[in-house]
Amino acid sequence: MASVPPPELRPESGSGSTAPGASAAGVQAGGEPGGPGPAMSPAPIPVTVTVPGPGPGPAPASASASAPAPFSQATSLASMPAVPVDPTGRSRPIGEVLLAAGLLTQDQVDRVLDHAAQKRLPFGEAAIALGLLSRAQLEQALGYQFDYPVAVGNTAVALSREVVVAFDVHDPVIDDLREVRNEIQLRWLNGSSGRRAIAILSTQSGDGRSFVASNLAVTFAQGGSRTLLIDADMRGGRLHELFGATNAGGLAAFLSGRVALPSIHAAPGIRNLALIASGGAAPNAGDLLARPALQALLEHCERQFDVVIVDTPAASEGPDAKVTAAQCGGAVVVVRQDHTPLETVAQLVKSLKSATVTVVGTVLLDH
């Protein structure tokens, strides 16, 4: 699908440290990633993504004493259209948006209004001229006004910078991830299967599954799709860390019968996006994922959401990934440049097809 060097990608469970790359490896249209190797099908989507080096990590919790809780209170599956949207909020003047986000005080708004009137400047430009607002903060607020969800103000405190598309509306990775999103939409979501769930797989730890899953989920949400992100990695899942959520009451607790319903949380600052965390490590993860309860959960979620993205553990760690993909019906395989042996990818694709899983495409990461 794409070549994405993820910034600030932490190693998956059991992997060594990884260093982010500064440029992306190309993917030939209709060819194989990284040169000759075993035949793989389907062909990758011909996209090359270049991501800048890592930015600063998430702000410490003390960065804003008045910051709201990162996630809304967990709700039941019965109320699952998840993230409520205020259709009137975006019609407010930009000054009110910035005030509500905690980026400006009322006194500062008044100063900006006076300066804008004197200099005949738009409000945002006047705020920047006075040194009260950065260009990035203004662009994030404008993204909210134009129904393009990005993290802004206090809501950005909990988010990891690894979720790169949630922060910078002009980051070059966004357009490339949009193309990946569009290909998934065309190849799978709009297909005859009627399914809305898709699993993200790779053969080894450290390949970047969580980076792909989290950023794709945000990209779908930014495109207006009601999106649910599920962490089915009950060996070392960390999506709750990327989005500043609790891991309690997650998928493992639900599948083991310890809770009647998994907790579902609204992502901070990203409308249309919700998360079900992994719920912690489970000694019998493969058995839990094979239970009918997961299929029932996915079917319910697919009725409530436009797309359900499911992160999985490495296929080399056990049957979990294949079992989860079979429950979803469709999968995207992540391949790490100069790290993932192509023969293992070919074996994984063959194994998925034998389980009647549709392999929608591959994502090539260089990091």
Side-chain angles (χ1 to χ4, degrees):
M1 263 183 210
S3 175
V4 186
E8 198 182 316
L9 183 65
R10 294 182 295 172
E12 304 274 358
S13 173
S15 69
S17 61
T18 60
S23 62
V27 181
Q28 297 180 352
E32 304 300 337
M40 293 169 55
S41 176
I45 299 169
V47 178
T48 299
V49 180
T50 302
V51 180
S62 60
S64 172
S66 61
F71 276 70
S72 64
Q73 184 176 1
T75 60
S76 71
L77 289 173
S79 59
M80 255 192 179
V83 188
V85 175
D86 175 12
T88 63
R90 293 188 295 275
S91 64
R92 294 179 296 173
I94 189 67
E96 292 185 18
V97 173
L98 293 166
L99 180 64
L103 294 174
L104 294 177
T105 66
Q106 185 60 59
D107 288 343
Q108 290 172 331
V109 169
D110 294 339
R111 285 179 56 196
V112 174
L113 288 171
D114 290 341
H115 188 72
Q118 293 173 9
K119 301 296 183 179
R120 296 185 178 182
L121 292 172
F123 183 94
E125 297 300 327
I128 291 174
L130 290 173
L132 300 175
L133 199 67
S134 70
R135 177 70 59 181
Q137 288 171 327
L138 174 60
E139 290 174 347
Q140 288 173 335
L142 290 172
Y144 172 81
Q145 273 198 320
F146 286 89
D147 196 20
Y148 185 80
V150 290
V152 58
N154 293 335
T155 60
V157 173
L159 285 173
S160 167
R161 289 284 172 173
E162 187 175 329
V163 192
V164 60
V165 298
F167 290 93
D168 187 354
V169 297
H170 294 303
D171 194 306
V173 73
I174 294 177
D175 285 337
D176 297 298
L177 281 169
R178 283 180 188 146
E179 187 165 349
V180 175
R181 175 198 67 194
N182 294 342
E183 291 292 343
I184 292 174
Q185 187 77 47
L186 292 171
R187 295 187 182 194
W188 179 241
L189 301 178
N190 291 350
S192 58
S193 71
R195 296 300 304 270
R196 297 182 183 275
I198 188 163
I200 308 298
L201 284 76
S202 76
T203 64
Q204 300 182 113
S205 295
D207 283 338
R209 296 177 310 280
S210 295
F211 172 83
V212 172
S214 59
N215 280 278
L216 268 180
V218 174
T219 306
F220 270 104
Q222 289 172 334
S225 297
R226 295 170 301 168
T227 306
L228 177 64
L229 179 61
I230 298 178
D231 194 343
D233 184 354
M234 294 186 290
R235 296 175 184 267
R238 60 188 185 88
L239 291 184
H240 63 287
E241 297 176 359
L242 300 186
F243 290 92
T246 176
N247 202 22
L251 187 64
F254 169 69
L255 295 179
S256 62
R258 290 183 286 126
V259 297
L261 295 169
S263 297
I264 178 169
H265 306 280
I270 307 296
R271 294 186 311 282
N272 302 324
L273 177 59
L275 169 74
I276 294 178
S278 68
N284 58 338
D287 293 335
L288 292 179
L289 291 166
R291 291 184 176 181
L294 177 59
Q295 187 64 52
L297 175 65
L298 289 173
E299 290 175 356
H300 183 94
C301 293
E302 287 176 299
R303 291 193 296 269
Q304 302 294 331
F305 289 87
D306 299 315
V307 58
V308 179
I309 297 175
V310 184
D311 194 14
T312 67
S316 61
E317 295 180 354
D320 311 19
K322 179 180 176 181
V323 169
T324 304
Q327 300 272 37
C328 294
V332 168
V333 176
V334 178
V335 181
R336 180 177 170 188
Q337 178 77 16
D338 300 324
H339 176 81
T340 309
L342 284 179
E343 59 270 18
T344 65
V345 180
Q347 292 168 3
L348 175 58
V349 171
K350 182 179 179 180
S351 174
L352 291 172
K353 290 184 174 181
S354 69
T356 68
V357 176
T358 299
V359 181
V360 179
T362 56
V363 177
L364 177 65
L365 300 183
D366 181 15
H367 67 90

